[in-house]
Amino acid sequence: MQKKLLYINGLPRTLIVNLEDSLAKVLREQLLLTGCKVGCNQGQCGTCSIIMNGDVVRSCIVKMKRVPDEAHITTIEGLATPDELHPLQVAWMAYGCAQCGFCSPGFILSAKVLLDGNASPTREEVRDWFQKHRNACRCTGYKPLVDAVMAAAQVLRGELRKEDLLYKPVDNKIYGTTYHRPSAVQKVTGTWDYGADVALQMPQGTLRLALVQAEVSHANIKGIDTSEAETMPGVYKVVTHKDVKGKNRITGLITFPSNKGDGWDRPILCDEKVFQFGDAIAIVCADTEEHAKAAAKKVKVDLEMLPAYMSAPAAMAEDAIEIHPGVPNVYFEQGIVKGEDTKPIMDRSDIVTVEVETYCSRQPHLPLEPDVGCAYIDEEGRLTIHSKSIGLHLHHAMIVAGIGIEPEKCRLVQNPTGGTFGYKFSPTIEALLGVACLATGKPVSLNFTMYQNITYTGKRSPASVYCKLAADKTGKLLAMETDWWLDHGPYSEFGDLVTLRQAQFTGAGYDIRNIRGQGRTVCTNHAWGSAFRGYGSPQAFLASEIAMDELAEKLGMDPLELRFKNIYRPGATTPTGQVPEVFCLEEMFNKIRPLWKAAKERCAKLTTPEKKRGVGFSLGIYGCGLDGPDSSEAWAELTPTGVTIGNSWQDHGQGADIGTLTHAHETLQPLGIKPEQIKLIMNDMAFTPNSGPSGGSRSNVMTGNATTVACQMLLNAMRKADGSYRTYDEMLAENIPLHYDGKWTASMCTDCSPVTAQGDPFPIYMYELFMPEVEVDMKTGKAKVVKFTTIADIGTITNKTVCDGQIYGGLAQGVGLALTEDFEDLKKHTSLVGCGLPFIDDIPDDMEIIYNITPRENGPHGAAGTGEGPLSAPHPAILNAIYNACGVRIYAIPALPSKIKAGLDALAAQK
């Protein structure tokens, strides 16, 4: 220990510190300056960036022994006050930079140091700065961050007023504008408390948890010895499966009758077997996290090793054992049958066919906030679990029987959440927290490291998709045949649904009258498959959009024009036989056609022998909903000062707060109330109804509609005979209820058949065209996206800044999916950098979004969803651009430099 005098946010503070502790730990735990966020704890993400003696410092890797005496340290709390924000903070709000907000304090402080030394930076200088200082963002696609820095620089130079950066409602309208999120001020000031911040604020006596996790991928458990761990300092209890009062299983809520499993295959704490690397075997509950982790190392697990099937082909082999005894490794099959038999068509001599087989990788989500949560018994005797859940009521249904608690005695609450991109559609630590709380009778908290988050949580399910297309000599598509397998890891939850997605989206966007195909879901011992933005569509479009490019080449047609010839027009139906709700693709193609021509000319002009440029194209589509008659609930209540809205629209960066506010405010326009008069109560099962999970781009449609219905019911109750509206006092005087529950159901939808995939699964679709320009280094094989143009049709735009941010972020994740990201090697792919997280230099600054606005009849105020569309098919467009640039065709992503270089070498050898 050593006494240090430090100047923290301008004030002298005398601290007694452990010299081996990080500066971040001291700031957060001793000073409770939780605006300093810790993400990777390895210096790779920059969320913990603060200013020390005028320099940007990643505080998680600076030990206190390296912090000089009397150092001047500025955290986000010391930059400004909520009433008098720094221009950077205002710009961050105005440009929608604080999506999940977890990285915002680090970025803002980093940018401050840049502007202190360079009052007029160029965009490239801003990008270089963030690259140099390892400031990473998973949400925004980086472009809005650079926009914000440039705007803040103008304010600091006296060219703009910071007050003019924020949109101010005109005629009391915020729908379709750039009005900022209600959570924005807290996010840019570091006071939006994420799970690790909440854990630090838990009362004395809270037990800190550490997991004993499997370090192998498949084994029988012969015994668990906790005796030594129980005697370690600070240990209160070591919890194993024997302490679980319930079924000790998380149910996947199987709804597909043809699924050969029962859905009860994921243990909360492993009892008989280990199914994947990282599986939880025991929970050590201690007075400190350090004590808990030390004791966890002393738990001895006796294992009998079993063959580990780390890919679908391995698990499908004839000699493979059943991973879940009694359930075949291929546990679900999905067919697609549309129109006439395809074989006679394929056998005709007057047609042109192409065949491709693609592999879409096990993409990791890579949120910068690791999984974290806490649990306690509340004032009404309910087990209350706080987490990053994006499906409170869904997860409640999945875990209560496994924990062993009556449903009414379990309450889930969503903490402010630092991004999930879908992995939290599955429960991760919720049941672990519940079990530990019940077993100890104490409040508990669990905070994953980045290594745990990457190795334990679900990933995009990799898939191999075979696609054969047939067209006549004019390019008119006649038939498609598909065959696919999907590696869903060891746990079946939602595995059948993502397998169905291949039938729904392979070949989507085109009028293909005759389709035959078959797919299967495979149980393996690699990471379990969970939802990821675009859920199922990236695997499907990777195959069909490369096939469309190859068909165009074989026909001697332009890739865009072949697509244009075959897009949905009146009379066409989707692969599931559904009539599209709008026919907007023709207008979208007409908008992008001149840009396509210009891009081809530009790439030809900029190509050199050393670096060749190409442009690619693809079409992507995604449905808004959970298949069939999806529904949501919300409520509205009149108060003396305005209206309160309640729903469980879980927010993981996509903007649930601004979405709820905007739909409510637009509906309540007749009352003339201002946005600040609408109070939001969200995401706590004690107060908010079942709005369904925040996934599948369903929430803006389903919960937006439910919120609108609740507000309409309130308006109807307030309306007088003369068309004016009652006041709060008049409602009370007339004894008219103030609270109204709204529900909306997609009653026009039906489920898809597991045999034919025919049905009407979604009320609304999103449509998007992708046109990246890519540069390939002919010496190294490295591909870089240098420009990205996209045209999106998402109905009416609920909030322009939020929609922009969703699309920029989705494109950036598409670049990562195409070129760098993977979770395959359990030794290599265990950090943000190791998994290929794109930094700002990997993402083009030149990204252009063009909106084609076609209002949706079934959308709230005409809106569709936004988030899934931009990650449906940017990656095949990038692969098509690589081929256009250098002639190398990549079928398995990521398209690493080594793969492209091997292709270049093979081409050279053929000459």
Side-chain angles (χ1 to χ4, degrees), residues 683-699:
N683 304 319
D684 181 338
M685 287 181 65
F687 305 105
T688 57
N690 186 356
S691 303
S694 293
S697 285
R698 63 177 294 281
S699 296

Side-chain angles (χ1 to χ4, degrees), residues 738-778:
L738 304 173
H739 179 103
Y740 293 87
D741 296 318
K743 183 172 183 178
W744 191 84
T745 300
S747 57
M748 68 293 297
C749 293
T750 63
D751 292 328
C752 290
S753 162
V755 176
T756 67
Q758 299 304 284
D760 296 342
F762 306 112
I764 290 172
Y765 289 84
M766 298 161 281
Y767 302 84
E768 192 152 355
L769 305 181
F770 303 91
M771 193 180 75
E773 295 171 44
V774 175
E775 182 178 80
V776 177
D777 187 313
M778 300 298 286

Side-chain angles (χ1 to χ4, degrees), residues 98-110:
Q99 289 189 23
C100 84
F102 192 75
C103 70
S104 294
F107 263 103
I108 290 169
L109 290 171
S110 180

